[in-house]
Amino acid sequence: MPVLGYLGSESPERYASRLAAFREGLAETGYVEGRNLAVEYRWAEGNYQRLPALAKELADRQVVAIVAPGGAEVALAAKSATMTIPIVFEMGGDPIALGVVDSLSQPGGNLTGVSSLSVEVSRKRLEFMAELRRGARLFAIAVNRTSPTANSQIRNLQAAADSLGLQLRQLEASTEQEFEALFASVAQVGAGGLVFTSDPYFAYRSPRLAALAVAHAVPAITQSRDFPIAGGLMSYGGDFLQSHRHTGAYAGRIIKGEKPSQLPVQRVTKVELFINLKAANALGLSVPPSLLSSADFVIE
């Protein structure tokens, strides 16, 4: 029975919906965990500094392939652990700019995977928030400085702000202990709303962020649908269920003998806008019809 390695940045509980999608992808290629495939998991439990050591454990185990979903941090850790074992990544950033692959069509080396548009559409979140809060000229952006994509997202957001005639105030948080102060700062700086950059650490903590957004009465938009589902206002980002399903299918194809260098990096181009009308009403906000018509899902 082949043994597949799975490197996760968080815990199985936080990955639950994504794991289900990943297993669906595996099943498409004929593999079912426990029946004709074994999976060894390594979880960083939110401590991303542990990822390189955990990746090396999987490489030393000589697994048939390593699945590295959940962001650039995971992919880079897996890449540092082996140059021979196939790696299937899943991330929201640009794998070429991050040095993960040489090109999308011909990845080269031992890595391939799936890339969504979550990082690239950070600026669109600002546009949606500005459309909702048309009278506001200052907005706060939440940044995790430990993210490899933080600087590029800040540049994109600043370019969007300049084109819209807006000002930005950068707020930083890289641990859960900093979340409370983050939301408290939005009112202190007089921002019309809070725009989260794309970051797995934020995405996997959507329920906590939603609770704080409600407690502090902050209009906020994140990348993950889990945020408005948990009571937050809006989200705009890639379909992570689709990207994880593709990751599972690629893993299955590699187990069957295909080479990662010959599998082009897939681009998940589906991007979803979620709006929670109940949250908007609680904040005393009227959502413009133009914004509602753009939404893929409206929670009432």
Side-chain angles (χ1 to χ4, degrees):
M1 186 182 292
V3 179
L4 181 68
Y6 190 102
L7 181 64
S9 58
E10 298 289 344
S11 64
E13 293 75 24
R14 294 191 192 276
Y15 266 62
S17 59
R18 293 159 174 82
L19 278 172
F22 169 72
R23 288 168 179 145
E24 287 178 9
L26 277 175
E28 291 173 8
T29 60
Y31 288 102
V32 178
E33 184 180 355
R35 183 184 302 169
N36 58 357
L37 175 70
V39 183
E40 286 219 2
Y41 297 95
R42 295 293 185 275
W43 300 104
E45 303 289 347
N47 184 355
Y48 293 1
Q49 293 181 341
R50 296 179 57 202
L51 286 168
L54 295 174
K56 188 175 185 305
E57 283 184 23
L58 291 173
D60 291 344
R61 176 73 173 78
Q62 289 297 302
V63 292
V64 66
I66 296 175
V67 177
E73 298 91 342
V74 189
L76 292 170
K79 183 180 181 182
S80 70
T82 176
M83 297 178 64
T84 55
I85 297 173
I87 296 169
V88 182
F89 60 81
E90 182 274 334
M91 66 173 70
D94 182 348
I96 299 175
L98 292 164
V100 177
V101 296
D102 297 330
S103 76
L104 299 181
S105 59
Q106 296 179 314
N110 62 318
L111 290 94
T112 189
V114 184
S115 178
S116 70
L117 297 175
S118 289
V119 166
E120 296 176 24
V121 300
S122 288
R123 61 181 295 155
K124 193 68 178 177
R125 287 186 209 113
L126 176 62
E127 293 174 13
F128 284 139
M129 185 59 75
E131 186 176 352
L132 177 64
R133 306 299 314 273
R134 289 181 177 172
R137 310 315 301 165
L138 172 68
F139 291 92
I141 59 173
V143 179
N144 179 0
R145 271 293 179 185
T146 66
S147 170
T149 64
N151 289 335
S152 64
Q153 292 189 74
I154 292 170
R155 288 194 297 270
N156 287 339
L157 283 163
Q158 188 60 59
D162 292 343
S163 67
L164 295 168
L166 302 174
Q167 291 183 314
L168 298 181
R169 182 65 60 88
Q170 186 176 314
L171 306 176
E172 298 183 6
S174 57
T175 67
E176 288 190 69
Q177 290 72 29
E178 296 173 304
F179 286 173
E180 185 86 39
L182 173 75
F183 280 92
S185 297
V186 176
Q188 293 170 6
V189 302
L194 177 62
V195 178
F196 278 82
T197 54
S198 293
D199 186 82
Y201 195 83
F202 294 148
Y204 287 119
R205 288 159 180 79
S206 293
R208 174 63 176 155
L209 295 177
L212 287 169
V214 171
H216 289 268
V218 171
I221 182 169
T222 75
Q223 79 186 87
S224 174
R225 62 166 74 170
D226 294 337
F227 178 73
I229 289 174
L233 179 61
M234 293 191 294
S235 70
Y236 188 68
D239 183 352
F240 61 79
L241 295 181
Q242 185 183 35
S243 61
H244 279 72
R245 188 164 57 249
H246 287 322
T247 303
Y250 256 17
R253 291 174 64 176
I254 286 173
I255 294 170
K256 287 186 172 181
E258 294 189 59
K259 304 295 184 185
S261 59
Q262 298 170 350
L263 294 172
V265 174
Q266 294 191 44
R267 296 280 281 175
V268 174
T269 56
K270 180 182 178 183
V271 187
E272 305 171 320
L273 173 63
F274 278 67
I275 299 176
N276 186 324
L277 282 183
K278 184 178 179 181
N281 291 334
L283 291 164
L285 300 176
S286 177
V287 181
S290 59
L291 195 55
L292 282 174
S293 65
S294 300
D296 296 275
F297 297 91
V298 176
I299 302 170
E300 299 189 50

